[in-house]
Amino acid sequence: MRTELVTTLKRQATDLLADIERDRQPILITQHGLPSAYLVDVETYETLLSRMAMLEGIARGEQAIAEGRTVTHDQAKDRLARWLR
């Protein structure tokens, strides 16, 4: 992964954005020698958000199972039918 200084971002923002759009590779921005931010293209960012939402849904489902908050298949069909009316 490419790493750039924050001063490079300030001076060459247009060039860095062009590189990201072309290569679709994130750039780690450092400030005072420490990681500060990642610069990613819009498509990658939106994909990450979508995946994170899916994983959060799975985690909520696993937690519900662990807590015993489940229903039978027939109960689920009835609830869904009522909800879709």
Side-chain angles (χ1 to χ4, degrees):
M1 177 187 315
R2 182 172 162 188
T3 301
E4 295 289 349
L5 302 171
V6 71
T7 53
T8 305
L9 175 61
K10 291 177 184 177
R11 293 180 185 147
Q12 300 175 9
T14 303
D15 293 338
L16 292 177
L17 291 174
D19 291 348
I20 287 172
E21 187 175 331
R22 182 188 65 243
D23 301 334
R24 301 267 190 247
Q25 293 296 315
I27 298 174
L28 174 62
I29 305 298
T30 61
Q31 189 171 17
H32 306 295
L34 299 172
S36 181
Y38 284 100
L39 198 54
V40 297
D41 65 281
V42 172
E43 185 179 332
T44 298
Y45 178 75
E46 290 175 348
T47 299
L48 288 171
L49 287 179
S50 176
R51 288 178 180 173
M52 195 171 0
M54 186 182 312
L55 289 171
E56 287 170 352
I58 291 168
R60 282 193 309 272
E62 289 176 339
Q63 183 66 34
I65 291 169
E67 293 171 358
R69 294 184 289 123
T70 60
V71 296
T72 67
H73 179 74
D74 289 335
Q75 289 170 325
K77 282 180 18 182
D78 289 343
R79 287 183 185 184
L80 186 58
R82 282 191 305 245
W83 183 73
L84 290 175
R85 285 185 201 161

